[in-house]
Amino acid sequence: MKAVIMAGGRGTRLRPLTCHVPKPIVPIMNKPVMEYSIEWLKHHGITDIAVTVQYLSDEIIEYFGDGRRFGVHLHYFEETTPLGTAGSVKHAQSFLDDTFVVISADTLTTIHLQQAINFHFSKQALVTVLMHHEATPLSYGGIVTDRNGKVIHFVEKPKWNEVCSDLVNTGIYICDPAIFNYMPEHPPYDFSQHIFSHLIQQEYPIYGYEADGYWSDIGIIEQYHQTHVDLLNQRLVSSHYKEIAPDVWIGERVNIAQEVKLEGPILIGDDVRIDAYATLGPYTVVGSRSVISKYASLKRSIVWSNVYIDEHSELRGAVVANDVYIGKKK
Protein backbone atom coordinates (compact mmCIF):
# COMPACT_ATOMS: atom_id res chain seq x y z
CA MET A 1 0.00 0.00 0.00
CA LYS A 2 1.10 3.58 -0.66
CA ALA A 3 0.45 6.84 1.16
CA VAL A 4 0.42 10.56 0.52
CA ILE A 5 1.49 13.21 3.03
CA MET A 6 -0.07 16.62 2.42
CA ALA A 7 2.75 19.08 3.12
CA GLY A 8 1.82 22.07 0.99
CA GLY A 9 -0.02 24.30 3.47
CA ARG A 10 1.24 27.72 4.50
CA GLY A 11 0.58 27.13 8.22
CA THR A 12 -1.06 30.54 8.60
CA ARG A 13 -2.60 29.68 11.98
CA LEU A 14 0.88 28.94 13.36
CA ARG A 15 2.32 32.30 12.36
CA PRO A 16 4.71 33.90 13.12
CA LEU A 17 6.44 30.52 13.61
CA THR A 18 5.80 29.59 9.98
CA CYS A 19 6.71 32.89 8.33
CA HIS A 20 10.09 31.50 7.28
CA VAL A 21 9.75 27.83 8.27
CA PRO A 22 7.44 25.42 6.39
CA LYS A 23 4.93 23.79 8.71
CA PRO A 24 6.21 20.23 8.07
CA ILE A 25 9.59 21.29 9.53
CA VAL A 26 8.17 22.95 12.65
CA PRO A 27 9.81 21.00 15.50
CA ILE A 28 7.94 18.83 17.97
CA MET A 29 10.25 17.61 20.75
CA ASN A 30 13.18 18.84 18.61
CA LYS A 31 12.12 16.83 15.55
CA PRO A 32 10.29 18.10 12.43
CA VAL A 33 6.61 17.27 12.73
CA MET A 34 6.43 15.53 9.33
CA GLU A 35 9.00 13.02 10.54
CA TYR A 36 6.36 11.63 12.90
CA SER A 37 3.99 10.94 10.00
CA ILE A 38 6.77 9.17 8.12
CA GLU A 39 7.62 7.04 11.16
CA TRP A 40 3.95 6.15 11.71
CA LEU A 41 3.48 5.02 8.11
CA LYS A 42 6.73 3.07 8.17
CA HIS A 43 5.70 1.39 11.44
CA HIS A 44 2.63 0.06 9.62
CA GLY A 45 4.65 -1.19 6.66
CA ILE A 46 4.03 1.70 4.26
CA THR A 47 7.29 2.95 2.81
CA ASP A 48 6.30 4.22 -0.66
CA ILE A 49 5.07 7.74 0.06
CA ALA A 50 4.04 10.73 -2.05
CA VAL A 51 4.57 14.18 -0.55
CA THR A 52 2.57 17.12 -1.91
CA VAL A 53 4.45 20.40 -1.49
CA GLN A 54 3.95 24.05 -2.37
CA TYR A 55 4.92 26.63 0.31
CA LEU A 56 8.72 26.73 0.93
CA SER A 57 8.92 23.39 -0.86
CA ASP A 58 12.70 23.57 -1.41
CA GLU A 59 13.33 23.46 2.35
CA ILE A 60 11.10 20.41 2.78
CA ILE A 61 12.75 18.56 -0.09
CA GLU A 62 16.24 19.51 1.10
CA TYR A 63 15.60 18.19 4.62
CA PHE A 64 13.78 14.95 3.83
CA GLY A 65 15.44 14.17 0.49
CA ASP A 66 14.42 10.88 -1.06
CA GLY A 67 13.53 9.49 2.38
CA ARG A 68 16.37 6.97 2.40
CA ARG A 69 17.73 8.02 5.79
CA PHE A 70 14.25 7.51 7.27
CA GLY A 71 13.89 4.06 5.72
CA VAL A 72 11.23 5.07 3.16
CA HIS A 73 10.93 6.22 -0.45
CA LEU A 74 9.58 9.77 -0.89
CA HIS A 75 8.17 11.06 -4.18
CA TYR A 76 7.42 14.79 -4.41
CA PHE A 77 4.52 16.40 -6.25
CA GLU A 78 4.90 20.17 -6.34
CA GLU A 79 2.00 22.57 -6.79
CA THR A 80 2.57 25.93 -8.45
CA THR A 81 -0.62 27.26 -6.80
CA PRO A 82 -2.59 25.87 -3.84
CA LEU A 83 -4.90 23.07 -5.01
CA GLY A 84 -6.78 22.33 -1.78
CA THR A 85 -6.44 19.11 0.20
CA ALA A 86 -8.22 16.89 -2.32
CA GLY A 87 -6.80 18.77 -5.31
CA SER A 88 -3.26 18.19 -4.08
CA VAL A 89 -3.90 14.46 -3.70
CA LYS A 90 -5.36 14.32 -7.23
CA HIS A 91 -2.15 15.98 -8.40
CA ALA A 92 -0.39 12.77 -7.29
CA GLN A 93 -2.94 10.50 -9.01
CA SER A 94 -0.35 8.92 -11.32
CA PHE A 95 1.48 7.58 -8.26
CA LEU A 96 -1.60 6.42 -6.33
CA ASP A 97 -2.63 3.40 -8.37
CA ASP A 98 -4.04 1.27 -5.52
CA THR A 99 -5.71 1.77 -2.14
CA PHE A 100 -3.79 4.50 -0.32
CA VAL A 101 -3.60 6.40 2.97
CA VAL A 102 -3.79 10.20 3.25
CA ILE A 103 -2.33 12.09 6.23
CA SER A 104 -1.40 15.72 6.87
CA ALA A 105 2.20 16.67 7.59
CA ASP A 106 1.20 18.40 10.84
CA THR A 107 -0.38 15.30 12.43
CA LEU A 108 0.97 13.17 15.27
CA THR A 109 -0.76 9.90 16.03
CA THR A 110 -0.39 6.42 17.52
CA ILE A 111 -3.65 5.15 15.96
CA HIS A 112 -3.45 1.51 14.87
CA LEU A 113 -3.61 1.94 11.11
CA GLN A 114 -3.92 -1.73 10.18
CA GLN A 115 -7.19 -2.07 12.10
CA ALA A 116 -8.59 0.89 10.16
CA ILE A 117 -7.41 -0.65 6.87
CA ASN A 118 -9.13 -3.94 7.77
CA PHE A 119 -12.34 -1.98 8.49
CA HIS A 120 -12.05 -0.16 5.16
CA PHE A 121 -11.87 -3.37 3.16
CA SER A 122 -14.59 -5.08 5.21
CA LYS A 123 -16.99 -2.25 4.28
CA GLN A 124 -15.82 -2.10 0.66
CA ALA A 125 -15.60 1.62 1.25
CA LEU A 126 -14.72 4.26 -1.28
CA VAL A 127 -13.28 6.35 1.56
CA THR A 128 -12.79 5.64 5.24
CA VAL A 129 -12.36 8.69 7.49
CA LEU A 130 -10.49 8.01 10.72
CA MET A 131 -12.41 9.65 13.58
CA HIS A 132 -11.31 10.61 17.08
CA HIS A 133 -13.19 11.75 20.21
CA GLU A 134 -12.60 15.40 21.08
CA ALA A 135 -14.13 17.14 24.10
CA THR A 136 -14.07 20.48 22.25
CA PRO A 137 -14.80 19.69 18.59
CA LEU A 138 -15.19 23.28 17.34
CA SER A 139 -11.86 23.41 15.50
CA TYR A 140 -12.48 20.20 13.57
CA GLY A 141 -14.98 18.55 11.27
CA GLY A 142 -17.77 16.84 13.24
CA ILE A 143 -18.98 13.47 11.97
CA VAL A 144 -22.16 11.41 12.50
CA THR A 145 -22.39 7.81 11.30
CA ASP A 146 -25.15 5.23 11.25
CA ARG A 147 -24.94 1.97 13.20
CA ASN A 148 -22.85 0.39 10.43
CA GLY A 149 -20.32 3.22 10.38
CA LYS A 150 -21.52 4.88 7.19
CA VAL A 151 -21.13 8.67 7.36
CA ILE A 152 -24.49 10.42 7.22
CA HIS A 153 -23.57 13.93 8.38
CA PHE A 154 -20.45 16.07 8.28
CA VAL A 155 -20.10 19.60 9.71
CA GLU A 156 -16.85 21.48 9.12
CA LYS A 157 -15.77 23.50 12.20
CA PRO A 158 -19.24 23.61 13.80
CA LYS A 159 -20.54 26.23 16.21
CA TRP A 160 -21.70 24.89 19.57
CA ASN A 161 -25.33 24.86 18.43
CA GLU A 162 -24.27 22.74 15.43
CA VAL A 163 -22.30 20.14 17.42
CA CYS A 164 -24.01 16.78 17.09
CA SER A 165 -21.12 14.48 17.95
CA ASP A 166 -17.77 14.55 19.73
CA LEU A 167 -16.30 12.44 16.93
CA VAL A 168 -14.11 14.55 14.67
CA ASN A 169 -12.30 14.16 11.37
CA THR A 170 -8.60 13.46 11.99
CA GLY A 171 -7.65 14.31 8.41
CA ILE A 172 -6.43 10.72 7.98
CA TYR A 173 -8.19 8.87 5.16
CA ILE A 174 -8.01 5.49 3.50
CA CYS A 175 -9.06 5.84 -0.13
CA ASP A 176 -9.83 3.59 -3.04
CA PRO A 177 -8.29 5.10 -6.19
CA ALA A 178 -11.83 5.29 -7.63
CA ILE A 179 -12.14 8.42 -5.47
CA PHE A 180 -10.44 10.31 -8.30
CA ASN A 181 -13.52 9.72 -10.46
CA TYR A 182 -15.48 12.02 -8.14
CA MET A 183 -13.00 14.89 -8.16
CA PRO A 184 -13.46 17.82 -10.57
CA GLU A 185 -10.84 18.49 -13.20
CA HIS A 186 -10.12 22.00 -12.01
CA PRO A 187 -9.01 22.57 -8.38
CA PRO A 188 -8.86 23.98 -5.77
CA TYR A 189 -11.17 21.79 -3.72
CA ASP A 190 -11.00 20.15 -0.30
CA PHE A 191 -11.95 16.73 1.00
CA SER A 192 -14.03 18.01 3.90
CA GLN A 193 -15.72 20.99 2.26
CA HIS A 194 -16.39 19.60 -1.22
CA ILE A 195 -15.69 15.93 -1.87
CA PHE A 196 -17.16 14.38 1.29
CA SER A 197 -20.37 16.41 1.19
CA HIS A 198 -20.97 15.29 -2.39
CA LEU A 199 -20.31 11.63 -1.56
CA ILE A 200 -22.68 11.76 1.42
CA GLN A 201 -25.46 13.40 -0.62
CA GLN A 202 -25.12 10.75 -3.34
CA GLU A 203 -24.98 7.98 -0.69
CA TYR A 204 -21.64 6.66 -1.86
CA PRO A 205 -19.83 4.31 0.57
CA ILE A 206 -17.96 6.78 2.78
CA TYR A 207 -17.38 5.31 6.24
CA GLY A 208 -16.05 6.54 9.55
CA TYR A 209 -13.69 4.45 11.66
CA GLU A 210 -13.60 5.29 15.38
CA ALA A 211 -9.90 5.08 16.17
CA ASP A 212 -8.16 4.56 19.50
CA GLY A 213 -4.77 6.01 20.33
CA TYR A 214 -3.22 9.44 20.54
CA TRP A 215 -3.91 12.02 17.83
CA SER A 216 -2.98 15.69 17.58
CA ASP A 217 -3.18 18.30 14.85
CA ILE A 218 -0.66 21.07 15.62
CA GLY A 219 -2.40 23.60 13.37
CA ILE A 220 -2.72 26.29 16.06
CA ILE A 221 -0.24 27.60 18.65
CA GLU A 222 -2.28 26.35 21.62
CA GLN A 223 -2.36 22.80 20.28
CA TYR A 224 1.31 23.01 19.33
CA HIS A 225 2.09 23.74 22.96
CA GLN A 226 -0.33 21.12 24.28
CA THR A 227 1.23 18.44 22.09
CA HIS A 228 4.57 18.92 23.84
CA VAL A 229 2.84 18.61 27.21
CA ASP A 230 1.12 15.42 26.06
CA LEU A 231 4.29 13.79 24.75
CA LEU A 232 6.29 14.70 27.85
CA ASN A 233 3.52 13.41 30.13
CA GLN A 234 3.37 10.13 28.22
CA ARG A 235 7.18 9.90 28.17
CA LEU A 236 7.11 9.59 24.38
CA VAL A 237 10.75 10.63 24.03
CA SER A 238 13.06 9.50 21.23
CA SER A 239 15.68 6.89 22.13
CA HIS A 240 18.26 9.49 21.08
CA TYR A 241 17.86 11.11 24.49
CA LYS A 242 19.26 9.90 27.83
CA GLU A 243 17.28 10.26 31.06
CA ILE A 244 19.72 11.71 33.63
CA ALA A 245 17.13 12.32 36.35
CA PRO A 246 13.40 11.52 36.67
CA ASP A 247 11.75 12.94 33.52
CA VAL A 248 14.84 14.93 32.53
CA TRP A 249 16.10 13.88 29.09
CA ILE A 250 19.21 15.27 27.40
CA GLY A 251 20.86 14.82 24.01
CA GLU A 252 24.55 14.58 23.20
CA ARG A 253 27.31 17.00 24.27
CA VAL A 254 25.08 18.87 26.71
CA ASN A 255 27.01 21.05 29.19
CA ILE A 256 25.11 21.67 32.43
CA ALA A 257 26.89 23.81 35.04
CA GLN A 258 26.75 23.37 38.79
CA GLU A 259 23.79 24.80 40.71
CA VAL A 260 21.42 24.46 37.75
CA LYS A 261 17.88 23.55 38.79
CA LEU A 262 16.08 21.07 36.53
CA GLU A 263 12.51 20.05 37.28
CA GLY A 264 11.01 17.57 34.82
CA PRO A 265 9.53 16.78 32.51
CA ILE A 266 12.20 18.50 30.41
CA LEU A 267 13.84 17.76 27.06
CA ILE A 268 17.23 19.26 26.19
CA GLY A 269 18.71 18.94 22.70
CA ASP A 270 22.25 18.35 21.46
CA ASP A 271 25.11 20.80 22.09
CA VAL A 272 23.14 22.88 24.59
CA ARG A 273 24.90 24.90 27.31
CA ILE A 274 23.14 25.74 30.59
CA ASP A 275 25.05 28.11 32.86
CA ALA A 276 25.15 28.25 36.63
CA TYR A 277 22.01 29.02 38.64
CA ALA A 278 19.71 28.75 35.64
CA THR A 279 16.31 27.14 36.22
CA LEU A 280 14.41 24.92 33.81
CA GLY A 281 10.92 24.14 35.01
CA PRO A 282 8.38 21.52 33.93
CA TYR A 283 7.31 21.17 30.29
CA THR A 284 10.31 22.99 28.89
CA VAL A 285 11.97 21.89 25.64
CA VAL A 286 15.31 23.33 24.52
CA GLY A 287 16.53 22.93 20.96
CA SER A 288 20.04 22.10 19.80
CA ARG A 289 22.96 24.57 20.04
CA SER A 290 21.07 26.87 22.39
CA VAL A 291 22.50 28.66 25.43
CA ILE A 292 20.70 29.30 28.72
CA SER A 293 22.71 31.88 30.66
CA LYS A 294 23.19 32.42 34.40
CA TYR A 295 20.06 32.91 36.48
CA ALA A 296 17.78 32.58 33.46
CA SER A 297 14.46 30.88 34.23
CA LEU A 298 12.28 28.91 31.81
CA LYS A 299 8.95 27.22 32.52
CA ARG A 300 6.45 25.59 30.12
CA SER A 301 8.45 27.06 27.24
CA ILE A 302 9.58 25.67 23.88
CA VAL A 303 12.91 26.96 22.63
CA TRP A 304 13.99 26.04 19.10
CA SER A 305 17.61 25.80 17.86
CA ASN A 306 20.47 28.33 18.03
CA VAL A 307 18.75 30.47 20.66
CA TYR A 308 20.72 32.55 23.17
CA ILE A 309 18.88 33.42 26.38
CA ASP A 310 20.86 35.98 28.35
CA GLU A 311 21.28 36.34 32.11
CA HIS A 312 18.25 36.73 34.39
CA SER A 313 15.77 36.40 31.51
CA GLU A 314 12.44 34.77 32.35
CA LEU A 315 10.29 32.77 29.91
CA ARG A 316 6.82 31.56 30.86
CA GLY A 317 4.71 29.63 28.36
CA ALA A 318 6.81 31.02 25.49
CA VAL A 319 7.69 29.64 22.09
CA VAL A 320 11.02 30.96 20.76
CA ALA A 321 11.89 30.30 17.11
CA ASN A 322 15.33 29.58 15.63
CA ASP A 323 18.25 32.02 15.82
CA VAL A 324 16.76 34.36 18.42
CA TYR A 325 18.53 36.38 21.12
CA ILE A 326 16.64 37.05 24.36
CA GLY A 327 18.31 39.95 26.15
CA LYS A 328 19.19 40.41 29.81
CA LYS A 329 16.49 41.27 32.28
CA LYS A 330 17.03 44.86 33.35
Side-chain angles (χ1 to χ4, degrees), residues 110-180:
T110 62
I111 288 171
H112 196 294
L113 178 59
Q114 188 58 53
Q115 292 176 355
I117 291 171
N118 294 343
F119 173 89
H120 174 81
F121 284 119
S122 72
K123 298 295 184 181
Q124 297 182 312
L126 180 63
V127 182
T128 296
V129 180
L130 274 62
M131 307 180 299
H132 196 269
H133 288 281
E134 283 292 322
T136 308
L138 304 186
S139 298
Y140 309 100
I143 300 175
V144 178
T145 64
D146 65 17
R147 66 178 67 184
N148 296 314
K150 189 173 183 180
V151 177
I152 57 176
H153 191 53
F154 190 100
V155 182
E156 180 67 10
K157 295 182 175 59
K159 299 180 176 64
W160 272 118
N161 63 339
E162 297 174 316
V163 171
C164 44
S165 169
D166 70 343
L167 285 170
V168 303
N169 175 12
T170 63
I172 304 171
Y173 315 127
I174 304 166
C175 300
D176 187 281
I179 187 69
F180 295 122

Side-chain angles (χ1 to χ4, degrees), residues 40-61:
W40 180 71
L41 291 167
K42 181 186 173 185
H43 175 74
H44 291 283
I46 299 175
T47 57
D48 217 8
I49 304 167
V51 183
T52 63
V53 292
Q54 198 261 325
Y55 178 64
L56 298 177
S57 58
D58 289 348
E59 295 186 30
I60 299 169
I61 296 170

Side-chain angles (χ1 to χ4, degrees), residues 215-234:
W215 169 76
S216 178
D217 172 351
I218 66 151
I220 58 175
I221 294 285
E222 293 80 5
Q223 189 59 34
Y224 175 74
H225 219 132
Q226 184 60 45
T227 300
H228 283 83
V229 172
D230 294 341
L231 297 184
L232 287 168
N233 278 340
Q234 296 178 39

Side-chain angles (χ1 to χ4, degrees), residues 313-328:
S313 292
E314 297 182 6
L315 274 66
R316 300 291 185 267
V319 179
V320 183
N322 295 328
D323 308 309
V324 169
Y325 168 72
I326 305 290
K328 292 182 181 180

